[in-house]
């Protein structure tokens, strides 16, 4: 299997960011923040900064702490729901809190980190209005935004390092939803959710 080093990942992400920024260059604004993905929740954009709900279990605690500076650099406010130490906790508690903040409009997007990212993704997707996706590389992060309009990202701290995590977060936050042929599929996802809501 071919491996991609951090330098190559950085170049790929920079190229994508330049493409995204280039698309928005038609309406330049000297003080505009980083390009915002489509589907932003107005209620989660108090003032000029968007809020990202950030959570982790004990396995994701260190990565969560490291990603705070990345989110800040992107001009985002962080609502850290915990955990706040390496003491053992249960990821469903924190994944639910992250998803709830996004679902009720108090956060624009959510990021949840556990050991593998899978369990938190399952939990977040139980919350109405949430489309959570686990990303483990550049392509999965882009695809989850372009095709699925994900509003919660889950990461596996045991599977990826800090540099890759930063690149994933940056590209996930700056990739726009593609709409078009994907919209009918998003509507079907929502219809399935509504069918089972009581």
């Amino acid at each position: 299997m071919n491996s991609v080093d951090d330098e190559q990942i950085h170049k790929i992400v920079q190229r994508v960011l330049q493409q995204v920024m280039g698309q928005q260059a038609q309406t330049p604004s000297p003080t505009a923040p980083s390009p915002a993905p489509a589907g932003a929740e107005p209620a989660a954009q108090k003032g000029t900064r968007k809020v990202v709900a950030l959570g982790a279990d004990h396995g994701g605690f260190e990565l969560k702490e490291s990603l705070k500076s990345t989110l800040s650099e992107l001009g985002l406010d962080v609502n850290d729901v915990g955990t706040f130490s390496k003491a053992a906790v249960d990821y469903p508690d924190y994944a639910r809190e992250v998803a709830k903040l996004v679902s009720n409009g108090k956060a624009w997007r959510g990021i949840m980190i556990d050991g593998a990212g899978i369990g938190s993704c399952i939990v977040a997707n139980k919350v109405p209005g949430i489309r959570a996706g686990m990303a483990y590389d550049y392509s999965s992060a882009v695809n989850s935004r372009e095709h699925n309009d994900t509003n919660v990202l889950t990461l596996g701290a045991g599977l990826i390092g800090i540099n890759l995590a930063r690149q994933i977060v940056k590209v996930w936050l700056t990739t726009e939803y593609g709409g078009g042929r994907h919209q009918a599929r998003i509507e079907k996802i929502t219809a399935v959710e509504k069918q089972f809501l009581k």
Side-chain angles (χ1 to χ4, degrees):
M1 176 169 44
N2 292 336
S3 63
V4 180
D5 64 24
D6 286 345
E7 181 63 28
Q8 291 171 310
I9 293 168
H10 179 74
K11 287 179 182 177
I12 292 168
V13 171
Q14 290 303 316
R15 194 165 54 242
V16 170
L17 289 174
Q18 287 171 357
Q19 289 173 353
V20 171
M21 289 177 171
Q23 290 170 357
Q24 297 191 0
Q26 298 164 355
T27 55
S29 172
T31 59
S34 298
E41 302 279 342
Q45 299 180 52
K46 295 180 180 175
T48 58
R49 291 167 64 101
K50 294 176 182 147
V51 177
V52 173
L54 182 64
D57 70 357
H58 54 286
F61 169 73
E62 287 184 353
L63 183 54
K64 172 177 71 76
E65 294 301 304
S66 297
L67 288 173
K68 286 181 183 179
S69 61
T70 302
L71 296 171
S72 210
E73 287 165 13
L74 292 170
L76 300 164
D77 284 334
V78 175
N79 184 347
D80 185 347
V81 303
T83 189
F84 301 105
S85 76
K86 291 184 185 179
V89 294
D90 298 325
Y91 65 82
D93 300 331
Y94 300 93
R96 182 194 63 205
E97 287 306 307
V98 167
K100 188 170 74 173
L101 287 170
V102 175
S103 179
N104 67 23
K106 292 184 179 176
W108 168 63
R109 296 268 178 84
I111 299 172
M112 176 63 197
I113 309 154
D114 64 26
I118 299 166
S120 291
C121 191
I122 293 168
V123 174
N125 278 312
K126 301 291 184 187
V127 177
I130 296 303
R131 288 179 305 280
M134 179 190 153
Y136 46 85
D137 62 11
Y138 165 85
S139 297
S140 56
V142 170
N143 184 280
S144 77
R145 283 291 308 133
E146 282 185 350
H147 293 206
N148 310 119
D149 196 18
T150 51
N151 50 17
V152 171
L153 170 69
T154 66
L155 299 171
L159 304 178
I160 59 174
I162 180 60
N163 290 330
L164 179 54
R166 284 185 178 132
Q167 300 303 329
I168 288 170
V169 165
K170 285 179 184 177
V171 78
W172 184 75
L173 288 167
T174 57
T175 297
E176 294 191 21
Y177 169 52
R181 73 184 195 275
H182 306 298
Q183 186 57 37
R185 295 161 188 165
I186 295 294
E187 288 168 8
K188 286 187 175 187
I189 292 170
T190 303
V192 169
E193 179 181 82
K194 287 180 179 175
Q195 182 182 2
F196 290 92
L197 284 175
K198 294 181 182 180

